[in-house]
Amino acid sequence: MELRELILASARAEFQYAGYSGATTAAIARGAGVTETQLFRMFQSKAALFRAAVFEPLDDAFAVFNDARFRLIEPGKHNSLPDTQAYIADLMAFIEANREMLVPLLAAQLVDGGQVEGVAGVGGLRTYFDLGSAHLAHNTRDLSKQRSDTIVRVSFAAVLAVVLFRDWLFPSNDGDEAAMSAALADFFVNGLGVSR
């Protein structure tokens, strides 16, 4: 493995374990088997290392996901429950596959006092929100751009929470992915089904 990749892998692990403020460049260098001097030759600061280890690969992953998912959606087509369930399952798999970057990013946003740019700095996530909002607004009558944007963001947050907090939500390990994606899709398509 190339030196830069060793450092980035060590950084992702350290940021996931200790958060941005708890991670040290000494621990990252030690994990990569390099000196801090070697680390700082490649990355000017801990913030630059965080950006390279977390933001950049997450942006790349979102670009691939966005292209794959939004390219397949037919304009003007209202998605069925099975379509939505397949999409939710893909989004859950995407979040799980990118957990090692999402967790430190969320921790930096929530607890590290704004030392690094948070989720707003992930361009791929902003693109995901924009594409999802445009699709929803285009395929749903009488839905404002602002409302569709909010729905897409809240839906993403729900899926993110189900994946990242699975152990809390299903402590006895009774939440399988198919059941969770089906429940989320049903909720997104049909709501609670409670009459007023």
Side-chain angles (χ1 to χ4, degrees), residues 32-121:
V34 300
T35 66
E36 278 188 280
T37 302
Q38 289 172 301
L39 184 147
F40 283 118
R41 281 188 189 131
M42 293 187 170
F43 303 97
Q44 295 176 337
S45 63
K46 184 166 87 169
L49 182 56
F50 188 79
R51 176 160 281 292
V54 175
F55 280 70
E56 292 171 13
L58 195 52
D59 266 341
D60 292 344
F62 265 112
V64 170
F65 181 80
N66 290 340
D67 182 56
R69 286 309 302 174
F70 290 105
R71 181 176 38 82
L72 298 175
I73 296 172
E74 295 176 35
K77 178 187 176 218
H78 183 72
N79 291 331
S80 66
L81 184 58
D83 292 338
T84 302
Q85 187 172 339
Y87 176 77
I88 297 299
D90 287 351
L91 184 57
M92 288 176 70
F94 171 81
I95 291 169
E96 186 62 47
N98 292 285
R99 175 188 288 267
E100 74 173 0
M101 292 173 287
L102 286 164
V103 170
L105 181 62
L106 292 171
Q109 179 84 30
L110 297 173
V111 298
D112 289 331
Q115 295 178 49
V116 294
E117 187 176 18
V119 293

Side-chain angles (χ1 to χ4, degrees), residues 3 21 23 27 33 39 45 88 117 124 130 153 178-179 185 191 195-196:
L3 183 60
S21 60
L39 184 147
S45 63
I88 297 299
E117 187 176 18
D130 291 344
R153 289 168 186 265
S195 59
R196 294 179 189 196

Side-chain angles (χ1 to χ4, degrees), residues 117-133:
E117 187 176 18
V119 293
V122 180
L125 180 59
R126 287 192 313 269
T127 300
Y128 169 86
F129 290 148
D130 291 344
L131 291 169
S133 176

